[in-house]
Amino acid sequence: MRKIVLFLLIAAMLVPLAACGGGPAKTPADTAAASGTAADTAPEQPKTEAQLRLDSLPERDFGGGELHIASATQFGEFDREQAKGELFNDAVYDRNAMLEEKYNITITSEPFSQTDAIGGSGRQLENRLREDAMAGDCTYQIAVDAPYFMYGTATDGIYRSLTTLPWLDLSASYWD
């Protein structure tokens, strides 16, 4: 189950990198082809980079399960309830919609405040993750924060390494 969750994390991080690419504007030939009135000789539109990346991911069906993401408030890449005509918001919304459809899941995100970030003792996200781990609870499948702030919980051994995923390709151009 943890490998699947990490797989979804990676997928969630990959799609927004390409989601802004978009496709070419529709031409009259495209409109006619969609209505069935144009000749079938029109060339097929190439897939966007986001579509190619999504197609390269393994097929899975999670039966309508939920993917819960806990994130520090400065990371807004995960939860967008609707398209608003804003580039970033809509890219996140589109990515989530594609992943939800492909994997038959519902993605939810809960932001956590960064109070007392310097001292760390008031960090709501890390405190919640520690509490869940000590209780044996798996409320969140993905946790997102700056690595500096996750060091304490990482040394507690409550995270799984992404490098354990057999299909993860860290040599791909989208990894920094």
Side-chain angles (χ1 to χ4, degrees):
M1 178 64 177
R2 289 183 184 207
K3 285 184 180 183
I4 293 169
V5 170
L6 290 173
F7 160 78
L8 291 173
L9 169 63
I10 291 170
M13 296 175 100
L14 297 180
V15 176
L17 296 175
C20 296
K26 287 189 176 184
T27 64
D30 294 335
T31 306
S35 66
T37 60
D40 292 332
T41 60
E44 184 177 317
Q45 293 294 326
K47 289 187 173 188
T48 65
E49 193 172 339
Q51 291 167 326
L52 292 172
R53 287 184 183 158
L54 189 61
D55 289 348
S56 71
L57 297 173
E59 294 295 325
R60 299 276 195 282
D61 185 343
F62 292 100
E66 293 186 14
L67 173 66
H68 298 285
I69 302 170
S71 65
T73 53
Q74 83 268 24
F75 296 100
E77 302 93 31
F78 299 105
D79 193 22
R80 295 295 185 267
E81 294 181 7
Q82 64 184 11
K84 297 180 179 178
E86 299 169 5
L87 184 64
F88 181 76
N89 180 86
D90 292 359
V92 171
Y93 176 81
D94 291 344
R95 180 220 39 216
N96 288 357
M98 285 191 306
L99 291 171
E100 287 178 339
E101 181 180 336
K102 180 173 177 114
Y103 294 108
N104 190 18
I105 59 169
T106 300
I107 299 173
T108 60
S109 177
E110 182 177 345
F112 284 84
S113 171
Q114 289 205 268
T115 57
D116 193 22
I118 301 302
S121 62
R123 301 271 308 149
Q124 293 178 355
L125 175 57
E126 286 75 15
N127 291 341
R128 177 62 187 270
L129 294 173
R130 274 192 188 97
E131 290 169 4
D132 285 357
M134 289 180 3
D137 190 8
C138 188
T139 304
Y140 304 102
Q141 290 79 42
I142 299 173
V144 182
D145 199 354
Y148 173 81
F149 295 116
M150 295 184 85
Y151 176 78
T153 48
T155 57
D156 291 345
I158 65 172
Y159 302 125
R160 177 169 277 183
S161 173
L162 292 176
T163 60
T164 63
L165 301 173
W167 40 262
L168 179 65
D169 179 13
L170 294 175
S171 67
S173 62
Y174 42 81
W175 291 101
D176 51 12

